[in-house]
Amino acid sequence: MIRRHEAWPAELASAGISRRSAITLGALGLTAGWGVTHERGNRAGVSDHVAPPGKSGAMLLQPQVLASRGGRLRIDLTAAGAVRGKQRTGMLTFNGGSPGPTLRVHPGDELAVRLINRLDEPTNLHTHGLRVSPEGNSDNPFLHIHPGTSFDYRHRIPADHPIGTFWYHPHAHGKVADQVFGGLFGALLVEPLPGEGPDLSTVQDRVLLISDISSDSAGRIAQPTGMEKMMGRIGESVLVNGQHQPSIAAAPGAPQRWRIINACTSRVLVIRLQDHDLVQIAVDGAYLPAPATKKRVVLAPGNRVDVLIHPTEAGRYDLTAEPYRDAIDTVLNIGAEDQTVTLATMTTAGPPAATPALPRSLPAERLGETPASVRRRITFGMGMSGTESGDMGHGGMTFTIDGRSFDPDRDDQIVALGTIEEWIVVNEDSFFYPFHLHTWPFTVLATSDLSPLSGVPQDVVLVPPNGWVRLRIPFTTHAGRSVFHCHILDHEDAGMMATVNVRR
């Protein structure tokens, strides 16, 4: 049995952690990441038990790395519940950890994953952002791997696949928000082959997977109310690599590359680093044409950014996430407190290092200028239904695309392989909606709120409340049937997803 401590730990009080958040962290055993055991070799073992928690502010840990060899990465990936003693916490793990292992592959590799389901419900696996086939045993969102069974995925990564930061998580409709909120996610990095890509060999490379959690009074993952599902659940505690407010070691003059992944189910992250610029080099796995110096970066759920950090003087510098606001200063993180959250602290110490020269240009993907031959209007909105699968359990609200709730057997958009299309995605509500399209990345051409444009392919974009975004989508790589949806995952589970069938 987990006991709730009545004493208030000094190290938590000094870190500014609320009593409720400390109960969450202590009960779930998350303050120092997950304890995992692994078999040696290229096939990961699994432990279903969580190691004892450490205190907030511990040194940032990196997830275990599993890298391809000889053009192939084969792993066992086990989805299971975490327990402390004999009590289930409701937390979920891949190979005994949350995040799961970081997968490193190259263009042209095969990624072979045996997904083993030790959960009490169906699950599956989505390689978010990878430009691989959506059919068969590849990135197929319609598969359901039932409890007690396994499935062999085979992802053939194209030889011309962009190098960059991607991630993986479950995508079994109706279960996605609970499983991601519970901890099922991990980083997936496509690395350049030797001699290719920009020279960042002098830069320390770190993955920062950001998630949020909440617990109930018994120390289990909290079950959201109907209202929280409708608004998009926001966790009480925000974690980096499963740790609460970890410390990131740095040396003056020694640059670091931070691959920041927003694995939250609903929270938009507006990220700053105290007294430092963020030099952005990529978004959603796509390099920018040149490094872009910013004071902040904004990540919708599912977005990734790669930034270069140039530590300067010795000291402690907070990495924070502010509430996301629109142009009229309305807090759009519905359900979140209007406050800045400390994600981590960069601790810079030691003698100054010579700052190496870094690339001034980057291998941004060249975008064709062929005009779109088809234009479509896609509408995100809410409806009322007490019986459809999208019922939220709160007043019968359901989330829809073009007025319809998700039906996996219906083709919502039929596209001819080889065409370039222009989609206007319209938001009829006062929520923000992060639009995500599988398999086929898009370029944002314009937004109604005049947000800055990256000019490179993305796979998630925020659609402003009562606004729109205009996208250019080349359906030129893979045929097959997949989905697009809102990446507020409770909305997706409630019906805000639709199919696209790209036919030869």
Side-chain angles (χ1 to χ4, degrees):
M1 178 178 294
I2 299 174
R3 299 182 182 274
R4 291 171 58 180
H5 296 285
E6 296 302 321
W8 190 233
E11 67 268 24
L12 300 186
S14 65
I17 305 171
S18 72
R19 181 178 183 83
R20 184 169 177 83
S21 291
I23 291 171
T24 296
L25 296 165
L28 295 174
L30 292 176
T31 57
W34 292 89
V36 294
T37 60
H38 301 279
E39 296 174 352
R40 295 188 179 274
N42 212 26
R43 298 172 67 90
V46 61
S47 169
D48 294 339
H49 287 74
V50 182
K55 66 180 181 179
S56 177
M59 196 62 65
L60 179 71
L61 304 175
Q62 290 293 289
Q64 182 199 26
V65 174
L66 301 175
S68 66
R69 296 178 182 175
R72 193 166 192 249
L73 173 58
R74 182 181 178 185
I75 65 167
D76 287 351
L77 194 64
T78 301
V83 298
R84 181 174 294 284
K86 295 182 179 180
Q87 179 178 339
R88 292 188 179 188
T89 65
M91 195 69 190
L92 307 177
T93 67
F94 276 133
N95 289 2
S98 180
T102 295
L103 310 182
R104 287 184 177 263
V105 295
H106 300 286
D109 281 355
E110 180 187 71
L111 173 60
V113 179
R114 173 165 292 172
L115 180 64
I116 301 166
N117 185 2
R118 292 186 183 167
L119 305 175
D120 296 329
E121 60 188 14
T123 190
N124 63 13
L125 191 69
H126 171 43
T127 51
H128 184 122
L130 280 197
R131 305 182 193 183
V132 295
S133 172
E135 296 187 303
N137 61 349
S138 188
D139 191 28
N140 185 340
F142 304 105
L143 294 172
H144 281 70
I145 317 308
H146 294 284
T149 68
S150 64
F151 184 80
D152 289 325
Y153 282 93
R154 294 289 185 274
H155 304 290
R156 292 174 175 82
I157 301 170
D160 61 352
H161 196 288
I163 54 178
T165 303
F166 306 90
W167 65 301
Y168 61 89
H169 61 83
H171 212 285
H173 181 60
K175 310 293 184 182
V176 183
D178 285 343
Q179 292 183 6
V180 173
F181 195 72
L184 291 181
F185 48 79
L188 201 171
L189 310 181
V190 180
E191 299 282 81
L193 294 167
E196 298 183 2
D199 184 8
L200 296 172
S201 59
T202 58
V203 178
Q204 186 172 10
D205 199 326
R206 297 184 188 270
V207 168
L208 279 66
L209 253 162
I210 301 174
S211 60
D212 56 2
I213 60 165
S214 296
S215 72
D216 60 21
S217 59
R220 298 182 297 263
I221 291 289
Q223 294 301 307
T225 65
M227 178 61 77
E228 287 170 331
K229 287 185 177 182
M230 187 177 76
M231 296 297 187
R233 73 185 81 178
I234 300 290
E236 296 169 349
S237 302
V238 185
L239 309 176
V240 181
N241 294 352
Q243 299 172 255
H244 188 258
Q245 297 182 0
S247 177
I248 304 173
Q256 299 189 11
R257 176 184 186 170
W258 292 358
R259 302 173 184 260
I260 306 175
I261 301 171
N262 186 354
C264 300
T265 58
S266 305
R267 187 188 294 264
V268 176
L269 300 171
V270 182
I271 293 180
R272 296 181 188 268
L273 179 61
Q274 180 183 356
D275 297 337
H276 287 73
D277 290 328
L278 302 172
V279 181
Q280 185 177 346
I281 61 172
V283 60
D284 286 359
Y287 277 113
L288 304 179
T293 300
K294 299 183 177 182
K295 296 297 182 183
R296 68 173 198 168
V297 291
V298 178
L299 286 81
N303 271 146
R304 292 87 63 210
V305 293
D306 291 32
V307 294
L308 298 180
I309 306 300
H310 293 79
T312 52
E313 298 178 355
R316 293 172 57 85
Y317 305 95
D318 287 340
L319 179 69
T320 58
E322 303 169 353
Y324 181 64
R325 302 171 183 272
D326 66 6
I328 59 172
D329 202 38
T330 300
V331 176
L332 295 182
N333 258 341
I334 305 298
E337 296 180 6
D338 184 9
Q339 63 181 9
T340 295
V341 175
T342 299
L343 303 174
T345 300
M346 184 176 74
T347 304
T348 304
T355 301
L358 297 175
R360 295 186 178 182
S361 62
L362 298 165
E365 187 172 347
R366 292 189 176 184
L367 304 176
E369 298 182 358
T370 305
S373 57
V374 177
R375 289 175 172 80
R376 302 176 194 256
R377 177 187 172 98
I378 309 293
T379 301
F380 279 33
M382 285 192 295
M384 297 291 294
S385 170
T387 58
E388 293 186 21
S389 61
D391 185 7
M392 294 298 291
H394 182 83
M397 296 303 300
T398 185
F399 289 84
T400 64
I401 295 179
D402 293 331
R404 299 190 291 189
S405 189
F406 177 62
D407 180 350
D409 297 322
R410 183 183 66 222
D411 283 345
D412 293 304
Q413 304 294 335
I414 299 175
V415 176
L417 180 64
T419 59
I420 296 174
E421 298 201 353
E422 186 175 293
W423 288 18
I424 293 186
V425 182
V426 178
N427 181 353
E428 294 185 334
D429 297 324
S430 56
F431 293 97
F432 65 88
Y433 288 132
F435 172 89
H436 173 49
L437 173 62
H438 291 208
T439 302
W440 303 278
F442 51 78
T443 306
V444 182
L445 301 178
T447 69
S448 59
D449 65 353
L450 304 179
S451 294
L453 307 179
S454 72
V456 297
Q458 297 175 219
D459 52 65
V460 179
V461 62
L462 279 172
V463 187
N466 301 301
W468 51 267
V469 297
R470 187 160 57 92
L471 313 175
R472 183 179 188 270
I473 312 173
F475 291 98
T476 54
T477 51
H478 298 282
R481 194 166 178 270
S482 195
V483 295
F484 57 95
H485 59 86
C486 177
H487 219 282
I488 295 177
L489 298 179
D490 284 303
H491 294 177
E492 174 198 330
D493 285 336
M496 190 170 269
M497 183 158 68
T499 63
V500 56
N501 192 345
V502 179
R503 295 178 175 174
R504 288 183 174 85

